[in-house]
Amino acid sequence: MAVAASAAAGAALLIPFQSSATEESKAPVARAKSIVYDPGVKLRCYAVSDEVGGVQYGSDSRDCKTINNPNRANSACASFGYRSKHGVECPAWRFVTYNWDQSKLRAYPGYDHQVHGPSGSPLKLVLQNNSKNLRERSGKQNCELKEVTFSHEYVGSSIKRHPDRRLYQFSDGRVKASYDALVEQTGGFSCKEKRAMLTTDFIYKTSRGISLISVVHFDPGPFSRANEDGVLWTNKCRTHAGKPTGCRVTVYGQRLQPGKKTHIDIDFTALAKKYAKYLDNNPVPAKSQIEALQVVNTVKGADLKAEVSNVDLTVG
């Protein structure tokens, strides 16, 4: 999946156990709070980038002034082209493409990323990914992995800091993501591997490296057969050469039915605990910096459109 640190595969502090129901009822309940600067995605303050080349080829900064904040200043985002009184600021979010040539933007076969709706209200983000009839120059069907992604990934600029400027850790509370989604697949598949998927990817950094929990919501293929634990894929916290690295795991989650808008809720803290053995038996390390939240449309020889809105990432 496309991620800020290219955690592609294929880019909470545990609530203390209460000794009794009486003690639990008296314990204060942590209130979940959004940790992104544009909760619900209501602002046109975004960039469009090619993950493979690392090139920004589109942007819209008209609403960035709404969230001018000294914590968002980041000289690394000069290419975005927006500067406030605090200095250079990053986008609040971005579209990311993977393995698409820009000549295929708004073409068929090809890809697209669209923003619909008035600023200040939840925007509808369209991720169009059409490779079913994509051919090589030789005329052979193109079966490369293609992705079009929505991403909250600018740490400290898209994802907030604590008031004391500390970065958010996976261990800071129960981490949850939510959004509304609709998917529509047109036609069937042109490649041996039947892939037309929508996933939610949560990326965080530990002492081992970049870790990823990927949740599959749409997969008519199917992607693969899950093991007895419900796991579709894991890197076993090792590189191909067997060296320790960040842990990555893919599981099925709340399912989407084609053409039906559905509200998605994901408790990544609960998932991490459930699949702890695939996360080095240390599912929520004390030091585990939150890096990104992404909604990924990925295909091989298929046409898939996803509509996404009301995206939020909370800790509580």
Side-chain angles (χ1 to χ4, degrees):
M1 292 67 187
V3 300
S6 295
L13 181 65
L14 302 183
I15 299 173
F17 176 75
Q18 302 297 327
S19 59
S20 71
T22 302
E23 289 180 61
E24 186 172 356
S25 64
K26 292 179 181 180
V29 178
R31 183 178 181 181
K33 57 184 177 182
S34 177
I35 63 167
V36 292
Y37 277 104
D38 185 14
V41 192
K42 301 175 182 179
L43 304 175
R44 286 175 167 84
C45 181
Y46 67 92
V48 185
S49 302
D50 170 18
E51 184 187 356
V52 175
V55 178
Q56 175 183 307
Y57 63 93
S59 65
D60 191 336
S61 61
R62 75 184 78 174
D63 297 330
C64 292
K65 60 183 179 295
T66 305
I67 49 173
N68 284 346
N69 187 301
N71 286 344
R72 296 189 68 247
N74 188 337
S75 60
C77 287
S79 62
F80 178 49
Y82 177 75
R83 177 182 290 271
S84 74
K85 63 182 179 181
H86 306 296
V88 171
E89 292 191 13
C90 295
W93 52 275
R94 74 167 176 159
F95 289 119
V96 189
T97 60
Y98 177 75
N99 257 355
W100 275 115
D101 188 283
Q102 291 174 35
S103 66
K104 295 297 184 181
L105 175 62
R106 299 190 174 93
Y108 184 85
Y111 71 102
D112 200 3
H113 34 68
Q114 302 171 10
V115 181
H116 299 281
S119 296
S121 63
L123 301 171
K124 181 172 73 174
L125 313 176
V126 180
L127 311 175
Q128 190 80 52
N129 203 3
N130 297 329
S131 70
K132 182 177 184 295
N133 295 305
L134 184 65
R135 303 289 178 180
E136 305 284 2
R137 289 184 178 180
S138 64
K140 181 181 178 181
Q141 171 68 40
N142 183 302
C143 289
E144 291 181 325
L145 181 73
K146 306 287 186 183
E147 294 181 344
V148 183
T149 297
F150 164 85
S151 184
H152 276 303
E153 65 178 73
Y154 296 91
V155 177
S157 302
S158 171
I159 299 172
K160 292 181 177 180
R161 296 174 183 265
H162 286 282
D164 62 4
R165 294 187 59 80
R166 287 182 300 112
L167 296 174
Y168 272 95
Q169 307 290 312
F170 193 7
S171 55
D172 283 342
R174 186 169 291 275
V175 177
K176 296 182 179 181
S178 61
Y179 61 96
D180 297 322
L182 180 148
V183 293
E184 293 179 323
Q185 183 182 3
T186 304
F189 298 90
S190 299
C191 299
K192 183 177 181 180
E193 181 182 350
K194 296 182 173 69
R195 181 178 293 209
M197 301 173 63
L198 189 76
T199 66
T200 307
D201 293 358
F202 176 65
I203 300 111
Y204 56 104
K205 184 167 64 177
T206 73
S207 59
R208 296 181 67 96
I210 296 294
S211 290
L212 164 72
I213 301 175
S214 183
V215 182
V216 178
H217 305 291
F218 183 72
D219 174 23
F223 172 63
S224 66
R225 290 184 179 275
N227 69 10
E228 65 278 6
D229 294 332
V231 171
L232 291 163
W233 179 85
T234 177
N235 71 341
K236 299 181 180 179
C237 305
R238 295 284 189 275
T239 66
H240 289 299
K243 294 182 179 181
T245 190
C247 303
R248 301 174 190 178
V249 62
T250 301
V251 300
Y252 277 126
Q254 191 175 345
R255 298 297 189 95
L256 290 169
Q257 297 300 318
K260 182 179 180 181
K261 186 176 181 178
T262 302
H263 184 71
I264 299 290
D265 282 302
I266 309 166
D267 185 333
F268 282 105
T269 301
L271 285 177
K273 291 190 290 185
K274 179 177 180 180
Y275 297 106
K277 76 177 185 179
Y278 298 96
L279 299 171
D280 197 38
N281 288 311
N282 187 17
V284 188
K287 292 184 178 180
S288 44
Q289 180 179 306
I290 295 174
E291 292 282 302
L293 174 73
Q294 303 184 326
V295 181
V296 185
N297 175 336
T298 176
V299 302
K300 281 188 178 183
D303 292 351
L304 183 66
K305 180 178 78 171
E307 296 178 359
V308 176
S309 59
N310 289 300
V311 184
D312 203 1
L313 179 65
T314 63
V315 172

